[in-house]
Amino acid sequence: MVSRRSFFQGAGALTAAVSAAAVSRVAMAALPEPVMQSKPDTMPPLVPNTGRPYDPVVTLNGWTLPWRMNQGVKEFHLVAEPVVRELAPGMNAHLWGYNGQSPGPTIEVVEGDRVRIFVTNKLPEHTSIHWHGQRLPNGMDGVAGLNQPSIKPGKTFVYEFVARRPGTFMYHPHADEMTQMAMGMMGLWITHPKAKHPLIDEVDRDFCFLLNAFNIDPGAATPKIMTMLDFNLWCWNSRMFPGIDTLNVRKGDKVRIRVGNLTMTNHPIHLHGHEFMVTGTDGGPTSKTSRWPEVTTDVAVGQMRQVEFLADEEGDWAFHCHKSHHTMNAMGHDVPTMIGVDHRGIVKQITKLVPDYMVMGERGMADMGEMEMPLPDNTVPMMTGKGPFGGVEMGGMFSILKVRKDQKPGDYSDPGWYKHPKGEVAFEWTGALPEPARFAAEGGQSMPRQHPNGKTTEVQVRKPTGHSGH
Ligand SMILES: [Cu+2]
């Protein structure tokens, strides 16, 4: 047990420190030992062994920060620092995060808990932490300059407040935010209800993750922090498909998924095979009369949406952002659409001049997934992933809800691919076909065919332009 007094002595020693490296072991001894994580795997739920009981969450490709009880106060220690995060197998990013990873660990507490969070800054610049969505004393809200002085490199600050209302919250810096959030600094905070709550159901599985985005050029490792809109890596908890773990549940489980958005755009999150209800926002649980069934819910910037459903259909169900550009990995946006353009003649002429010239996309982009083109080091293909029937052609914000009747309660391991019952998979038809119905007026075209001199002109000249303004 360490008293507050010895903590403040420790903090006094820390003020002498001038850099991250100078944080002495003696000073740190007064603080809860910072717990570090080096792997991007989904860690099993952290069942509380001190403090009041609750049903823990599972952070997708993440973990929950252990705490210590100090005279009735729950003490956590976050360390803001540069980290290396594997975004997907084959790609490591140089990010900023907390306790070895980006995003930082999930913090789980119980409604009414007094919480003390030590924040040590090992970044090369100042920082602070804002506790998004919490009711707390104004001086604990974490806006540098407004509510507190910024935490200089090498310093440790302490935040302390009572977790007043149950819900899903986020934490992130409120000092040089543009840089620090673009670099991956963020985390989730779950306040569990202290007793049975009329608007918060007990569930069998409770998943959570943050939506985040980076702009990292193929072959590079550090995000471009000035990017406003044109991000190229769309992540769940700083992972992208096929690096995002699957959500594995038992048939008949009541499942809750909490999704927070700290990107610069909205994400319509879509689940196949089931309907869900939005049961909570970062403002708290929604009223029962405000809930209706959905299969997609839009999570706007700076929002959290909590959805719940009964997993009563066995199978491997896609779960993804419905913006199709967000289920892709790094790509160039300035590529013209070539679908329907027959290049064969022109390719012959170009290859005389450029022997390895290759035309892409004349039959859609699926060819690109199959081509397995050589990539620069440290990136992942734009459309990838192998399923039991072939290429899944996805990337970014995509995962799979795996519902199995033989998944054991509390078992979060991947059960492998679903074995479909006989006769329940779409198949190729090789028999006789009836004539397909087709709208035949106007020659079957979408626009009336009309041209003043009777000729049809389909070629449009594509003029060279500058950056076309995303
Ligand atoms: Cu999206």
Side-chain angles (χ1 to χ4, degrees):
M1 283 287 170
V2 175
S3 69
R4 283 203 69 164
R5 187 173 151 72
S6 69
F7 159 66
F8 283 114
Q9 283 165 349
L14 273 178
T15 41
V18 286
S19 73
V23 177
S24 78
R25 287 188 82 97
V26 179
M28 294 297 270
L31 304 177
E33 189 70 26
V35 184
M36 297 295 170
Q37 182 57 265
S38 57
K39 285 184 298 196
D41 304 338
T42 302
M43 292 295 151
L46 183 68
V47 178
N49 54 13
T50 57
R52 286 177 293 164
Y54 61 84
D55 293 325
V57 296
V58 170
T59 307
L60 208 58
N61 292 101
W63 57 300
T64 287
L65 186 63
W67 63 88
R68 74 173 181 197
M69 294 304 294
N70 184 359
Q71 295 169 357
V73 181
K74 224 170 230 185
E75 288 186 337
F76 296 88
H77 190 176
L78 285 172
V79 179
E81 60 184 354
V83 302
V84 175
R85 173 72 168 182
E86 188 194 73
L87 298 182
M91 181 167 189
N92 286 325
H94 294 179
L95 306 179
W96 289 358
Y98 300 95
N99 300 54
Q101 291 286 286
S102 158
T106 300
I107 291 175
E108 284 183 86
V109 302
V110 180
E111 177 188 6
D113 277 354
R114 177 162 280 274
V115 183
R116 187 178 298 138
I117 310 116
F118 300 93
V119 179
T120 298
N121 183 8
K122 292 189 176 181
L123 297 171
E125 68 166 356
H126 68 210
T127 191
S128 75
I129 301 190
H130 164 59
W131 314 97
H132 174 112
Q134 304 270 6
R135 292 273 182 151
L136 35 61
N138 183 251
M140 295 291 163
D141 199 43
V143 179
L146 178 66
N147 307 122
Q148 63 166 93
S150 62
I151 311 171
K152 300 283 184 291
K155 306 292 185 193
T156 296
F157 268 49
V158 62
Y159 295 87
E160 184 168 332
F161 54 91
V162 173
R164 280 158 65 182
R165 62 183 182 85
T168 309
F169 309 102
M170 305 184 264
Y171 66 86
H172 61 80
H174 226 296
D176 194 11
E177 257 179 279
M178 185 195 76
T179 302
Q180 298 188 9
M181 290 178 66
M183 290 294 284
M185 299 192 73
M186 55 191 70
L188 276 164
W189 175 303
I190 316 289
T191 302
H192 296 279
K194 63 183 175 199
K196 217 168 158 33
H197 190 291
L199 297 175
I200 303 174
D201 287 352
E202 282 174 14
V203 294
D204 301 294
R205 314 243 174 183
D206 198 339
F207 297 96
C208 60
F209 59 91
L210 285 170
L211 306 166
N212 55 350
F214 300 102
N215 185 17
I216 305 177
D217 285 335
T222 305
K224 292 197 220 167
I225 54 159
M226 301 303 278
T227 299
M228 210 191 307
L229 294 171
D230 205 5
F231 292 85
N232 64 357
L233 302 176
W234 300 100
C235 298
W236 289 358
N237 268 2
S238 303
R239 291 283 280 184
M240 53 202 186
F241 182 79
I244 302 173
D245 282 336
T246 55
L247 293 81
N248 311 313
V249 311
R250 177 182 172 86
K251 188 185 178 190
D253 273 354
K254 187 145 173 48
V255 179
R256 175 154 55 220
I257 306 176
R258 312 166 190 245
V259 185
N261 181 2
L262 291 176
T263 72
M264 302 277 216
T265 188
N266 63 315
H267 302 279
I269 299 298
H270 175 53
L271 176 63
H272 292 210
H274 297 79
E275 311 86 44
F276 57 69
M277 302 255 201
V278 175
T279 58
T281 75
D282 22 7
T286 55
S287 68
K288 292 234 157 129
T289 51
S290 73
R291 299 176 187 177
W292 64 82
E294 293 266 23
V295 295
T296 304
T297 190
D298 195 29
V299 188
V301 182
Q303 280 188 341
M304 189 283 297
R305 287 291 177 270
Q306 168 186 302
V307 304
E308 282 171 36
F309 59 96
L310 186 66
D312 56 357
E313 295 286 350
E314 266 203 293
D316 291 339
W317 302 105
F319 178 49
H320 60 95
C321 174
H322 216 294
K323 286 185 175 174
S324 49
H325 282 221
H326 294 181
T327 51
M328 297 222 158
N329 295 325
M331 58 176 165
H333 278 117
D334 291 337
V335 179
T337 300
M338 294 305 224
I339 295 171
V341 179
D342 187 344
H343 297 77
R344 277 168 293 193
I346 202 160
V347 167
K348 212 175 257 175
Q349 294 185 348
I350 295 173
T351 42
K352 280 184 198 151
L353 300 165
V354 188
D356 56 355
Y357 180 79
M358 181 167 42
V359 173
M360 289 187 287
E362 65 184 69
R363 296 177 296 163
M365 296 298 268
D367 290 357
M368 290 195 63
E370 281 166 24
M371 262 192 282
E372 306 256 327
M373 292 173 45
L375 293 167
D377 287 344
N378 201 43
T379 191
V380 287
M382 179 172 134
M383 299 156 71
T384 186
K386 280 256 185 299
F389 301 102
V392 180
E393 301 170 354
M394 286 281 140
M397 295 175 158
F398 181 92
S399 185
I400 301 158
L401 172 77
K402 296 193 172 188
V403 184
R404 298 287 188 281
K405 63 175 184 304
D406 47 6
Q407 188 85 7
K408 300 257 182 315
D411 178 7
Y412 288 87
S413 62
D414 185 345
W417 299 119
Y418 181 55
K419 308 227 175 9
H420 302 83
K422 215 170 155 21
E424 289 190 14
V425 176
F427 61 98
E428 185 186 358
W429 177 256
T430 52
L433 277 174
E435 193 59 32
R438 182 178 278 132
F439 186 67
E442 311 295 357
Q445 292 186 324
S446 55
M447 294 288 283
R449 222 174 138 139
Q450 229 172 27
H451 200 272
N453 53 17
K455 281 197 291 183
T456 309
T457 309
E458 289 190 7
V459 174
Q460 301 225 329
V461 177
R462 188 171 179 276
K463 292 179 186 155
T465 57
H467 194 263
S468 50
H470 288 270

